[in-house]
Amino acid sequence: MELPALRPHQREPWHAFTVQVAALALIHAGTDALPAGEAAWRDLLLALTPDMPEAWELVVDDWSKPALLQPPTVAPADKGAYKNRLPTPDALDMLVTAKNHDLKQARMVGAGDEDWLFALVTLQTTEGFLGAGNYGISRMNGGFASRMSLGLRPAGGAGDAFRRDVERLVADARARPTRRTGTALLWTVPWDGTSSLDYNKLDELYVEICRRVRLIRLTTGNVAAATAGSKVSRVAYKKLGGNTLDPWAPLTIDTKKDSETYGLKVSVTPTGAGFGYRQMANLLDKTKITLPPLAHADPADAPDGLSIVAAALVRGQGKTEGLHRRTIRTHGARRDADGRPIAIERIGEVARKRADEGFEASRRLGRALISLVQGGPERARLDDDSARKKTERWLARFNDAVDAIFFDAPFWAEVAATDDNHRKDWRITLRDIAGDVFATAAQAAPGTEVRRVPARARAGSLLHHEMKKWVEEAEYGE
């Protein structure tokens, strides 16, 4: 599937949009088979909006009718509210580029319809709160949160991922006769910006919009966007916390006591730290996270070639905190000795144990590094904030090195194992990485050679003692 105009941050929104629309079309048509041709797909989509065929067109001159991801106006006078004009799709898109630094503003002059389509999908299905009149989507935990995706993907690219997810959602719908139905395509409902839709009256797979936008075809043949603010969000989501049955959204318990969703399940909001090994271990930890439906293996999945994919464009308050994506190949370790699929919860269990060991190794390395920067005293002052700050870059280097090998073959060997014999080997690996990082830090430590040698000796001895004892504990099961 070649989509050259699709920008990196638009990749997951486009996947979710197409999968949701396709699944809704198949469910509505009462068929499980994905069509093979363009004409068959067109018929399926038009059947979703039999009285509104224009709902699938990118530009519709009559604003009393919907256009793709663009709600119709309620009354002719409502058209006057669309006063803001955006000349390029990247001005419409959700990326915050106010400072005009890494990514320049409004640079896509002369963009094609495809560029506008991808920008529109990304805005309407992933954007958050951005000032008065600019509300965000319901499928994330708050206006400054992010809609993240966590799921299993087969080998073979975007087309195979699309097919797998559509087939799983359709099969799930068939298996649940009590599945909630209702409004599915929110852009087909007129909106003047003053009323919200009731979440409980929406289809479980609803495709939402969050902004009032209409695209216009200029006399030059180019497209521009007209936008208007709203007094309320399109979906009333205040007490949902993003727990909206999103097929890709992991859930966790809200522990913030001042939150209106305290004690309830809410969607996970990733941070600017991205998806390092600790974050991935946390996402796969069944004691903390409820995995989304599309993150679970299915008997129909191919035994080899599956990957765990986590992705999000992390939003901040008036800023973007990075596009993060992590793909973890399972190295064929998707079957146990009896040929049954290994549950992702087992993968999470091993990841959590190994991540905990990684944290413990970094803690012991941290003590040795503090001793090093303090000059190797007989007893290091662990509450020395200045010394601790000097060690941060070396601990970051340690974590980067661990992250690079965390999900390598030994990890999957432990996933498939029925014993705990891999514990010592993992601690030895961590010990060796810590030793290499310490040696580099000691060489770079400031000071004269007269001071550096004893400091390195004392701090190195501390690290050796701590790590030796730790590895031995694993050997004896302590």
Side-chain angles (χ1 to χ4, degrees):
M1 184 184 294
E2 295 293 333
L3 297 170
L6 192 67
R7 303 167 77 192
H9 71 282
Q10 298 169 337
R11 183 175 174 183
E12 291 305 315
W14 179 250
H15 174 77
F17 171 74
T18 54
V19 167
Q20 285 172 258
V21 168
L24 285 166
L26 292 171
I27 294 167
H28 181 266
T31 180
D32 300 340
L34 275 68
E38 181 180 324
W41 273 117
R42 183 187 299 111
D43 291 342
L44 276 175
L45 295 181
L46 289 174
L48 276 176
T49 59
D51 300 324
M52 296 175 284
E54 57 279 331
W56 302 101
E57 296 179 24
L58 194 62
V59 179
V60 176
D61 293 333
D62 185 352
W63 287 18
S64 67
K65 297 179 179 180
L68 183 58
L69 291 166
Q70 304 159 63
T73 53
V74 174
D78 189 35
K79 189 173 181 179
Y82 289 75
K83 297 177 181 179
N84 192 24
R85 291 291 187 272
L86 302 176
T88 62
D90 52 334
L92 176 69
D93 205 340
M94 66 173 292
L95 288 180
V96 178
T97 55
K99 292 185 179 180
N100 213 29
H101 287 170
D102 291 346
L103 196 63
K104 303 301 180 184
Q105 300 173 10
R107 64 187 179 87
M108 298 177 69
V109 179
D113 288 5
E114 199 174 46
D115 298 298
W116 282 100
L117 170 61
F118 296 146
L120 194 60
V121 168
T122 305
L123 172 81
Q124 296 287 44
T125 64
T126 63
E127 182 61 292
F129 179 78
L130 200 63
N134 296 302
Y135 290 89
I137 63 170
S138 60
R139 290 192 185 274
M140 63 186 188
N141 185 18
F144 299 113
S146 305
R147 184 185 182 187
M148 76 159 290
S149 172
L150 179 66
L152 292 177
R153 300 284 171 86
D160 290 300
F162 168 80
R163 175 177 289 276
R164 177 194 184 271
D165 285 0
V166 171
E167 290 177 345
R168 298 300 174 276
L169 293 182
V170 173
D172 175 69
R174 298 277 184 262
R176 292 190 296 113
T178 58
R179 173 185 175 277
R180 193 184 74 222
T181 59
T183 303
L185 308 177
L186 271 55
W187 70 86
T188 62
V189 182
W191 188 26
D192 63 1
T194 64
S195 60
S196 297
L197 295 174
D198 183 351
Y199 165 75
N200 294 308
K201 294 181 180 179
L202 306 180
D203 190 283
E204 290 183 7
L205 288 176
Y206 69 96
V207 182
E208 69 181 312
I209 58 170
C210 61
R211 301 289 173 84
R212 298 167 72 200
V213 180
R214 295 295 300 211
L215 298 187
I216 305 165
R217 183 78 61 185
L218 304 176
T219 55
T220 60
N222 292 335
V223 174
T227 67
S230 64
K231 294 183 179 179
V232 293
S233 60
R234 191 60 185 120
V235 178
Y237 61 77
K238 274 197 170 183
K239 294 186 179 180
L240 293 176
N243 185 358
T244 59
L245 303 178
D246 187 339
W248 296 273
L251 302 175
T252 188
I253 299 297
D254 188 350
T255 58
K256 298 178 182 177
K257 292 188 177 180
D258 59 345
S259 171
E260 57 188 1
T261 54
Y262 173 68
L264 302 177
K265 284 186 177 181
V266 297
S267 63
V268 172
T269 298
T271 69
F275 299 115
Y277 75 91
R278 290 182 183 173
Q279 287 79 14
M280 289 304 300
N282 185 69
L283 282 173
L284 300 174
D285 187 349
K286 67 178 181 180
T287 66
K288 300 176 181 177
I289 302 294
T290 299
L291 292 171
L294 294 176
H296 291 279
D298 187 272
D301 287 328
D304 299 322
L306 281 179
S307 297
I308 302 169
V309 177
L313 177 64
V314 179
R315 302 180 65 259
Q317 192 163 347
K319 60 183 177 179
T320 300
E321 295 186 352
L323 175 63
H324 302 279
R325 182 182 177 89
R326 182 78 180 261
T327 299
I328 301 170
R329 294 293 303 276
T330 60
H331 290 270
R334 292 296 305 156
R335 305 279 170 173
D336 61 17
D338 298 320
R340 295 170 300 193
I342 294 175
I344 197 169
E345 287 83 0
R346 169 60 181 165
I347 298 173
E349 178 186 350
V350 174
R352 177 179 55 79
K353 288 180 180 179
R354 288 196 160 215
D356 288 346
E357 302 265 79
F359 173 77
E360 180 59 27
S362 69
R363 193 174 68 86
R364 291 168 186 254
L365 171 62
R367 289 202 291 260
L369 290 171
I370 287 176
S371 174
L372 176 69
V373 300
Q374 288 177 347
E378 289 189 14
R379 184 169 230 166
R381 302 186 312 278
L382 301 181
D383 61 347
D384 184 345
D385 291 338
S386 176
R388 188 180 297 278
K389 190 169 184 180
K390 293 175 183 177
T391 69
E392 287 177 354
R393 67 176 174 135
W394 301 112
L395 291 175
R397 180 175 292 195
F398 170 81
N399 281 315
D400 287 344
V402 174
D403 190 79
I405 64 163
F406 191 85
F407 291 104
D408 280 357
F411 175 89
W412 299 106
E414 184 171 352
V415 168
T418 57
D419 54 47
D420 199 26
N421 295 334
H422 296 262
R423 186 180 182 194
K424 181 181 178 182
D425 291 341
W426 179 234
R427 287 193 180 184
I428 289 174
T429 298
L430 293 171
R431 178 202 66 191
D432 293 345
I433 294 174
D436 290 344
V437 170
F438 178 84
T440 304
Q443 193 65 32
T448 64
E449 195 66 20
V450 174
R451 294 184 58 194
R452 186 185 297 118
V453 170
R456 178 174 181 173
R458 293 193 188 105
S461 177
L462 172 63
L463 179 65
H464 173 76
H465 173 74
E466 293 237 337
M467 287 299 185
K468 182 174 183 294
K469 179 181 177 182
W470 189 52
V471 170
E472 289 174 350
E473 287 174 354
E475 183 175 7
Y476 297 109
E478 298 179 13

